[in-house]
Amino acid sequence: MKRRELLRTGAALSGALTLAGCSSLIETRAAGVPPVPENRPDGVYYPSHVEGMEMVGTASSGDYTVGLMYSYPHRFWNVNGESVALTEIDADDAVHLMASVWDTDTEAILPDTGLSAEIYREGSLVSQEAIYPMLSQPMGFHYGANFGLDGEGEYTVRLSVGAMSTRRTGAFEGRFADPTTVEIPFEYSEAAKEDIAFRTLDDQVSTPGAVDAMAMTALPDAVAPAESALPGRVLGSATSDDARLIVTALDTPPAGVDGDGTYLAVSARTRYNRMVIPAMGLSGRLARNGEAVYDGAFERTLDPDLGYHYGAVVDDIASGDELTLSVTVQPQTARHEGYETAFGGLMGGMPDVTVAVP
Amino acid sequence: MSIDGDRSRRAVLKAAVALGGASALSACLDRTDDDPVPTGDPAAKPPRQHAWREYVRHDDHGNSRLPAHQVLLYLDFDVGGPPTDADRDALAASLAALDRAYAWRHEGLLHSIAYSPAYFDRFDTPLPEGIDLPEPTALSPFESPTFDRQDAVLHLASDRADAVLEADRALRGEREAANGVSVPSLTEVATVDSRRTGFVGAGLPAANQDAAGIPDSKPVPEASPLFMGFEAGFRGNQATEDYVTVDTGPFAGGTTKVIANLRQRLADWYDEQSHEERVMEMFSPGHAENGLVEGVGDNLGSSSGIDRFVDSVVDDAREHGRVGHAQKAARANRDADGNVRLLRRHFESTDDIGSDQRVASLHFPSLQRRISAFEAVRRAMNGTDLTEATPAIRQRVNNGILEYIFVRRRGNFLVPPRRHRVLPTPRPE
Ligand code: HEM
């Protein structure tokens, strides 16, 4: 709820709600955020600034652990289908809340769960939203949104994780199938927020590259397995608009995938930080002597060994086969600055790439 | 009486049902200078408690206009085991008094009492085979509602706020009489565990849009019967009362009722989307492309016209990256002969169950012959298959109206026919 709304509601109920804390809402930080850099390249680039973040807490329930972080309100670009639209910081925004969801047992980050947040202050609802999945250079995949608050003080954030509908394989088969809700207390103070690091970049801004991933002890990283750590035989890799697609072949599909034959898995990660790129539509054509032996979808899949990937079963592969991968839907995650022109994004274009079977 | 005086009286009444506050209520009961509320004849009531259609207003297209003011009283009976004759006499007396106090019509009072699976658990005999009344359950992969497992729910509805409020107060023992008829309080046999209130119809959502959940831009059109800015419940998209009526066994003439309560969060709905995008998400991309919905949708007439867009839902998902709420629900809302399965009677509210806050919400009663029909339609609304077809459709985002509604409560009930409305056994004679 916006502050004005709260004031009105309070008046309507003749003071039934306490209005304490409402006076200290003015945010100064947003004014200091540098403008979106000019001459951005079409691809991952160094953003104008980097904001740190502060851990609020973690909580576990069912299969899931949820971590809640916060920072200054952020601008970001929302992605819906082909559209990429800038969401500016609103004058009422107090914080950018971020959440990560992971498997309590393996600490694997779970994209595609769906997440919504309710924020309460002394039992009163302050806000409730479905939170969007996002990609940022320091964090990679997470859920995030800007929120207005009703001043400094104690809040309760209830985070509801949705069951996954993404295909799960191996030891993940049948897991993450139920929703859950956790509660994390959040003490909000402007002084504490202003202590969060905020750094502008100089010469590097707008040049290709990415700021380093942020290491947080309480938080598993959202990094894809190194090429050498991928199971199966790695056939090769290619880069499309700074999304690196590594193709590996397994002799048999992991449990949970229908069909017999060779399993081709495409692990997608950001060019510099190796952050997992989830929620794409991907299809592939495997050609042998110019004839398609497979032409179809590579399904979004979560596997404990392959990580989040896109997979398809083909009859077999032979040396000289060519696999052409086409991104049919760009990654459906919002983007923080530095990622909004890459992976499709504002300037579009994730060209087809081809990997030859060695 | 001056026009202004009349307007402010109405404003007080609307606020009173919305807030449910005793002080607002007495303020409006002092002003009884309107037309008298028609009294009733117990012998002249229809045999079905859910017979409302013939007794409510209709618009120019023959669509029902549900009673503007409604109250739901969730009841727990004091008796733990099978009810005694004394319990039955007491409840029968309260309901009979309502029958005498009000004509069975929209400017009188429509009411119905319905019983939960938990109520029927107190008997050794199970419900007849043909009655499908499971305990409520979560129906989407992302919700964990609190289940309403009270024994019964009494639903009061009228276009006259003063009628609903007097009946409600008398039933809860806060006054002796309703519309001049002495009404024995329900508190003789039951405790009111939860009291929920609401409103529906053009003007009322706009007048209540100061509630939390609705952005400050005052976006709710005056013409809209609902907070989300569209008409709902077109005749052609609703089951008939006959269709939802149980036709055999001791409960023939009854029906089943699911009542959910959903919180509405409409900031992004209104502030980040155009009318065209809202039409896409509420109806279907085809409705938007063809400009089928003007304003709140009165131009649709007596049907939303959704049937021609049902088969294209997967293609729409791929092409537009968005799918419509009505489009998804309709997939499961037809029987083999093309008849509509659910009779939806939802109304708006500013109740925030469990707090005093004014928060936009929706009470969603739905009538159907079998609860499983509701469950199937509600599951179809999840569009899980569409999230698999394209990542552009997410669990709640671009997926109809799921981003803006948050289920908080759900309860399942059996609405017996009038002849068995008082504390029925599972096999009434
Ligand atoms: C705030 C919440 C909701 C709003 C504003 C809303 C509004 C609408 C509107 C405008 C329509 C199209 C017109 C019509 O046919 O009535 C519709 C259709 C429908 N809605 Fe909802 N709805 C809501 C929640 C729900 C829920 C929770 C269900 C649960 C099952 C549901 C089930 C349906 C069905 C079955 C249809 C008709 C589709 C058909 O033609 O068969 N709605 N709704």
Side-chain angles (χ1 to χ4, degrees):
Chain A
M1 175 165 57
K2 305 246 171 80
R3 179 170 53 119
R4 263 165 297 157
E5 241 174 300
L6 177 80
L7 290 171
R8 247 206 328 268
T9 310
L13 290 176
S14 330
L17 291 175
T18 158
L19 298 180
C22 275
S23 52
S24 56
L25 270 176
I26 295 90
E27 294 300 334
T28 50
R29 196 76 214 178
V33 175
V36 175
E38 288 175 14
N39 307 320
R40 291 168 286 177
D42 181 4
V44 178
Y45 72 89
Y46 283 101
S48 62
H49 64 288
V50 190
E51 287 139 324
M53 62 179 177
E54 192 59 35
M55 194 77 202
V56 177
T58 63
S60 300
S61 172
D63 286 342
Y64 312 95
T65 301
V66 185
L68 180 69
M69 289 72 66
Y70 83 106
S71 184
Y72 306 102
H74 284 354
R75 64 174 167 242
F76 53 85
W77 284 261
N78 248 328
V79 174
N80 282 303
E82 284 163 25
S83 114
V84 181
L86 175 62
T87 299
E88 289 279 17
I89 298 166
D90 194 276
D92 288 335
D93 290 336
V95 289
H96 184 71
L97 285 185
M98 289 157 279
S100 279
V101 183
W102 62 87
D103 173 22
T104 307
D105 293 348
T106 63
E107 300 209 329
I109 291 277
L110 306 174
D112 296 355
T113 57
L115 194 83
S116 64
E118 287 161 87
I119 304 178
Y120 289 90
R121 169 116 204 243
E122 287 164 13
S124 274
L125 181 71
V126 176
S127 190
Q128 181 165 15
E129 303 283 340
I131 314 193
Y132 289 5
M134 295 199 170
L135 276 178
S136 77
Q137 293 180 5
M139 266 190 96
F141 180 84
H142 63 279
Y143 296 92
N146 294 333
F147 283 96
L149 295 174
D150 298 329
E152 301 194 331
E154 274 292 333
Y155 291 83
T156 302
V157 181
R158 282 169 58 93
L159 295 161
S160 296
V161 178
M164 284 185 87
S165 66
T166 304
R167 180 167 74 180
R168 281 139 287 151
T169 52
F172 285 167
E173 220 189 327
R175 300 194 59 215
F176 321 122
D178 293 309
T180 198
T181 300
V182 298
E183 256 181 43
I184 298 178
F186 174 35
E187 165 88 47
Y188 173 64
S189 98
E190 283 173 35
K193 183 177 74 180
E194 293 296 332
D195 274 348
I196 295 175
F198 183 96
R199 167 168 80 88
T200 51
L201 275 63
D202 301 324
D203 295 348
Q204 280 176 316
V205 176
S206 265
T207 63
V211 298
D212 289 342
M214 210 180 294
M216 292 206 88
T217 35
L219 187 68
D221 60 37
V223 165
E227 183 171 329
S228 58
L230 281 172
R233 177 162 76 103
V234 173
L235 303 180
S237 68
T239 299
S240 176
D241 207 6
D242 280 355
R244 185 152 179 257
L245 308 177
I246 304 183
V247 185
T248 185
L250 270 55
D251 292 341
T252 50
V257 174
D258 293 334
D260 292 320
T262 302
Y263 187 69
L264 293 181
V266 177
S267 170
R269 67 276 307 282
T270 62
R271 176 165 174 186
Y272 303 102
N273 287 353
R274 224 211 300 153
M275 295 299 186
V276 172
I277 305 181
M280 284 193 297
L282 190 73
S283 72
R285 181 175 187 273
L286 183 70
R288 187 167 300 158
N289 307 321
E291 294 278 311
V293 290
Y294 178 85
D295 196 352
F298 275 62
E299 256 186 70
R300 286 165 276 154
T301 309
L302 185 72
D303 180 89
D305 304 318
L306 289 160
Y308 187 97
H309 68 279
Y310 304 82
V313 180
V314 300
D315 288 340
D316 58 3
I317 51 172
S319 177
D321 287 0
E322 289 198 324
L323 177 66
T324 302
L325 295 169
S326 310
V327 175
T328 53
V329 185
Q330 64 170 312
Q332 297 293 297
T333 59
R335 319 289 184 78
H336 283 223
E337 194 176 301
Y339 274 166
E340 78 279 14
T341 60
F343 333 128
L346 270 183
M347 299 176 189
M350 288 190 82
D352 288 358
V353 294
T354 299
V355 170
V357 176
Chain B
M1 184 175 193
S2 75
I3 291 173
D4 277 329
D6 190 47
R7 194 172 289 153
S8 63
R9 177 177 175 277
R10 280 180 209 286
V12 171
L13 287 172
K14 286 169 188 169
V17 181
L19 273 176
S23 54
L25 179 63
S26 39
C28 69
L29 292 185
D30 289 344
R31 304 165 180 226
T32 48
D33 49 353
D34 223 351
D35 292 339
V37 172
T39 53
D41 170 5
K45 311 288 170 182
R48 295 174 186 166
Q49 291 196 78
H50 60 288
W52 288 20
R53 162 86 192 160
E54 275 179 52
Y55 307 92
V56 300
R57 289 171 299 143
H58 301 151
D59 69 12
D60 295 346
H61 314 292
N63 303 314
S64 296
R65 286 208 171 137
L66 292 175
H69 306 284
Q70 306 197 28
V71 171
L72 298 167
L73 297 177
Y74 286 79
L75 307 175
D76 275 324
F77 296 113
D78 301 335
V79 56
T84 63
D85 286 349
D87 299 325
R88 290 208 167 88
D89 290 347
L91 180 61
S94 297
L95 298 177
L98 282 189
D99 288 344
R100 280 193 302 280
Y102 298 102
W104 189 266
R105 39 188 296 118
H106 64 91
E107 69 279 58
L109 183 77
L110 300 175
H111 58 90
S112 72
I113 186 163
Y115 297 86
S116 69
Y119 165 80
F120 287 108
D121 279 351
R122 73 191 60 219
F123 299 96
D124 294 333
T125 348
L127 284 162
E129 281 278 299
I131 299 296
D132 173 39
L133 186 70
E135 286 284 351
T137 179
L139 295 172
S140 83
F142 47 83
E143 68 185 21
S144 14
T146 303
F147 296 122
D148 281 315
R149 301 186 70 249
Q150 298 89 343
D151 291 325
V153 59
L154 180 57
H155 189 163
L156 309 173
S158 173
D159 281 332
R160 291 283 297 260
D162 49 354
V164 172
L165 288 167
E166 272 196 28
D168 161 52
R169 285 200 73 192
L171 289 166
R172 289 186 294 115
E174 287 184 7
R175 52 181 289 141
E176 296 273 295
N179 208 24
V181 174
S182 159
V183 176
S185 162
L186 288 173
T187 53
E188 303 284 317
V189 278
T191 308
V192 178
D193 176 68
S194 180
R195 173 181 180 275
R196 305 180 193 165
T197 66
F199 49 85
V200 63
L204 291 169
N208 283 286
Q209 61 182 310
D210 58 338
I214 316 248
D216 290 343
S217 51
K218 295 241 172 274
V220 182
E222 193 61 32
S224 177
L226 298 171
F227 280 133
M228 289 192 83
F230 293 106
E231 289 188 3
F234 298 99
R235 195 175 187 182
N237 303 83
Q238 291 276 50
T240 61
E241 281 172 1
D242 281 347
Y243 187 87
V244 301
T245 300
V246 173
D247 51 7
T248 54
F251 290 109
T255 187
T256 72
K257 185 171 186 170
V258 177
I259 312 178
N261 173 261
L262 329 173
R263 210 180 245 163
Q264 299 182 60
R265 303 290 305 171
L266 304 183
D268 289 356
W269 174 248
Y270 280 116
D271 289 350
E272 286 186 5
Q273 303 209 96
S274 62
H275 182 264
E276 192 184 346
E277 289 168 320
R278 291 197 289 273
V279 168
M280 263 197 205
E281 288 195 336
M282 183 61 86
F283 294 87
S284 75
H287 277 75
E289 264 187 331
N290 297 299
L292 300 184
V293 185
E294 291 162 21
V296 301
D298 186 57
N299 68 304
L300 289 166
S302 61
S303 163
S304 72
I306 199 68
D307 292 77
R308 56 187 264 232
F309 300 109
V310 168
D311 291 340
S312 60
V313 64
V314 175
D315 293 338
D316 284 350
R318 294 216 170 93
E319 185 179 339
H320 298 275
R322 274 205 173 90
V323 288
H325 161 69
Q327 183 182 29
K328 285 182 295 168
R331 299 188 289 177
N333 196 27
R334 304 287 178 275
D335 70 11
D337 300 322
N339 299 307
V340 178
R341 300 167 80 192
L342 309 190
L343 177 51
R344 293 165 284 135
R345 285 183 169 160
H346 51 81
F347 55 99
E348 298 292 1
S349 179
T350 54
D351 289 351
D352 189 55
I353 301 162
S355 89
D356 293 337
Q357 241 180 316
R358 274 167 59 76
V359 178
S361 81
L362 182 88
H363 295 300
F364 197 104
S366 168
L367 305 181
Q368 50 284 312
R369 212 175 313 163
R370 304 173 60 82
I371 296 281
S372 51
F374 178 84
E375 294 180 342
V377 175
R378 182 61 189 77
R379 289 197 169 104
M381 203 177 118
N382 295 331
T384 306
D385 53 328
L386 306 168
T387 67
E388 285 158 17
T390 165
I393 311 290
R394 304 205 284 265
Q395 195 165 70
R396 305 185 82 122
V397 180
N398 298 326
N399 195 345
I401 56 174
L402 295 175
E403 182 174 349
Y404 320 101
I405 59 176
F406 296 84
V407 180
R408 301 190 68 215
R409 299 280 172 145
R410 181 173 297 123
N412 293 347
F413 301 92
L414 175 69
V415 188
R418 212 176 116 77
R419 66 182 187 283
H420 296 315
R421 70 178 176 180
V422 178
L423 295 165
T425 68
R427 310 282 172 112
E429 307 275 294

